[in-house]
Structure formats: C-alpha cells, structure tokens
Amino acid sequence: MSSSLPTRDPDSTIQRILFLSPKVHIYTVPPLTTTKGYTTTNWSPLLAPTASNPTPAPITTRLRVLETSSSTISSSSPISNSNSNSNNEIQTTILLEDPESGDLFAAAPYTSASAVEAVLDSARFFAVRVEGEGGRKAVLGIGFEERSEAIDFGICLQGVRKVMGIDRDAAINGAPIKGERRGVGGAKGPEKVEGKKGNWSLKEGETIKVEIGGMGVKRKEQVEDSGGQDGESALFSIKPPPQNQDTGGMPLLSPPPSANQVKAERRRSRGPTVPEKGSAADLGFDDGEFGEFQ
C-alpha cells in the first residue's frame, strides 16, 4: 500500500537562532486608519498581571528569531526507499517569550514582509502580526530600548527575506514588495518607475544654444528698453553729434585765433596794466609855443 503523505524524520530537523534580544516592550496597536503605515502616537503599553506581581504592569518579553530547517522524505512505497525524494523546508518564526521562564507569549510566522512593519515616526518600534491557537491573529507593537538592536533586527529580517525568496516571489506575482523601504524592519516604500530610454544625441544640422552668465537676459532687456529702435541705434546709449545741414556731413571747425588775438587774450588774463611813460604831450602837457612858461 502506497502512501502519498510525507514522513518527517525528527533527527533531520535543525533549529538556528538568527537574532536574540533579551528585552523588548509590548504595546497595543489600534486598527489602521490610513494606508501610509503605523505610527506610535496612539500606542499604549500592554498591561497584564504576572506570577510575581498580580497588579497589571507593562509587559516585557524576550524576542527570538528562530529558523527551523527540516528534511521531508516522501516515497512511493513504505518498504523501498529507492524512489524517495528529500526536500528541505525552512521556516522562520518570531517568538515573544517570558524572559524568566521561557514560556511562549506570542509567535509570528515570518512568511511575508507584511508580518513585520517598521513604524513611520521611529526606528526602534515595529508592528508584528502574531498568530495564536485556532488561527487567531492580532497586531502587537514591539519596542527596543537600543537603536542598534532595532537595526540588527531589521538586517536579520532582510536576510531572511533573501534566503526564503519572499521579495522575489512578490515581484514575480506582481505584488508590491513591502520590504523595500518604509523602515528598518521591512516596510513599503516608493516604487522605482523606469521611463522609456530615448536617443538624445544631436541629429545632423542641429545645434545647441548656451547662455552664459545671464548675457542673453541682459541683451534682451537692452533691446526691450530701446523702444523698438533698429539694431544700430540700440547698440549705443550716447546719441551721435548733429549733422551740418549745409554740408550734410560733420560740422566744420572754426579757424585758429591770430597772434594779435592771442596777445590780447593774454593781456586780459594778466589784469590791469600801468601805462608806459611817454612824452609830455602824451601825458596832456603843452610845452610848445603857447606853453605855460613863456
């Protein structure tokens, strides 16, 4: 009688701890009201009584990322193993345990990137989807006391997604990959959009016009300030001298002054001069025949 059910050998199961944090804080997370993601603004500590303290107090647990690798052997005959095939199955689970007794508080199978999402307003907090008995699911918030532990936790989950091919399967199925970037632990981010590649090389006869240092702008303003004048008059800001109407050309220059005019100009510039001594007649005296002394 053949059996199609796989048989599991307990000796072929290997468990490996990928990450361990001795203390994380647990929070209650209200339902999402936006598609952007989780924020810690409305989180509150999860309170519960313990064996040592019956009064409800904030819960702190130990966090472990446990990888389980097992070999599954299936055969067409329970007697002969000649046609048997061996396949390795890898499962990764995030365990929240009591730090003292080691009792399990909650478990979150890491089967997709949405199982753990980093919050938008902090790098130390994550939203974890845990599963309980009977398939019940809930979202709990976890908070690390050290930022370095949160970074190591996110790097660990990134390696798990790579080994298990979670991101690759999501890309093949066309679903958005939430582990691209919303936070450290794997969350949604902006998708890269690739546009069409075009040929931007210059064709034959095409040229490029380059304006350096705003020269083209100044030139344009000068042309606009010229009031629509022609190009030659707009180039000069000083008007040319008026033309002579008689000759139609440039105005003629006056001849240079004569020597007498130069001497007279010099005398005027020197101021009043004393008259030179002359004869009595030149001074107004009459010494002639009818002079004063006869």
Side-chain angles (χ1 to χ4, degrees), residues 94 108-117 127-130 139 157 178 186:
I94 300 172
Y110 195 71
T111 56
S112 64
S114 60
V116 178
E117 295 187 24
V128 182
R129 289 179 173 84
V130 298
V139 178
L157 297 183
K178 292 190 175 183

Side-chain angles (χ1 to χ4, degrees), residues 30-227:
L32 276 177
T33 57
T34 177
T35 58
K36 294 181 179 180
Y38 292 95
T39 58
T40 60
T41 55
N42 50 3
W43 287 14
S44 59
L46 182 61
L47 304 178
T50 59
S52 58
N53 187 10
T55 304
I59 296 179
T60 58
T61 64
R62 179 181 63 187
L63 186 146
R64 289 195 304 160
V65 179
L66 184 65
E67 179 187 79
T68 303
S69 176
S70 59
S71 298
T72 303
I73 302 175
S74 60
S75 60
S76 58
S77 174
I79 301 176
S80 175
N81 293 331
S82 59
N83 296 327
S84 62
N85 296 323
S86 177
N87 299 321
N88 292 330
E89 293 182 359
I90 299 177
Q91 296 178 354
T92 303
T93 308
I94 300 172
L95 303 176
L96 300 176
E97 303 168 332
D98 188 286
E100 297 179 359
S101 62
D103 296 338
L104 180 64
F105 175 76
Y110 195 71
T111 56
S112 64
S114 60
V116 178
E117 295 187 24
V119 299
L120 302 177
D121 55 351
S122 177
R124 298 187 295 110
F125 295 85
F126 299 84
V128 182
R129 289 179 173 84
V130 298
E131 295 184 6
E133 298 179 356
R136 293 179 300 175
K137 299 180 180 180
V139 178
L140 295 179
I142 61 173
F144 294 90
E145 293 185 351
E146 300 294 336
R147 187 182 300 271
S148 59
E149 287 186 339
I151 294 175
D152 294 339
F153 178 65
I155 294 174
C156 173
L157 297 183
Q158 184 178 1
V160 171
R161 292 196 304 272
K162 184 177 180 181
V163 172
M164 300 182 64
I166 294 176
D167 294 345
R168 183 181 65 253
D169 295 341
I172 294 175
N173 297 330
I177 301 175
K178 292 190 175 183
E180 288 184 353
R181 186 61 182 164
R182 181 188 292 167
V184 181
K188 190 175 181 179
E191 298 181 0
K192 184 178 179 181
V193 180
E194 296 183 357
K196 296 182 179 179
K197 297 181 180 180
N199 184 11
W200 302 104
S201 59
L202 293 177
K203 306 298 188 296
E204 184 177 358
E206 292 183 349
T207 58
I208 297 177
K209 182 180 179 181
V210 180
E211 296 181 356
I212 302 176
M215 296 177 61
V217 177
K218 295 181 179 179
R219 167 68 180 156
K220 184 177 179 181
E221 292 177 355
Q222 292 176 359
V223 174
E224 292 178 354
D225 294 341
S226 63

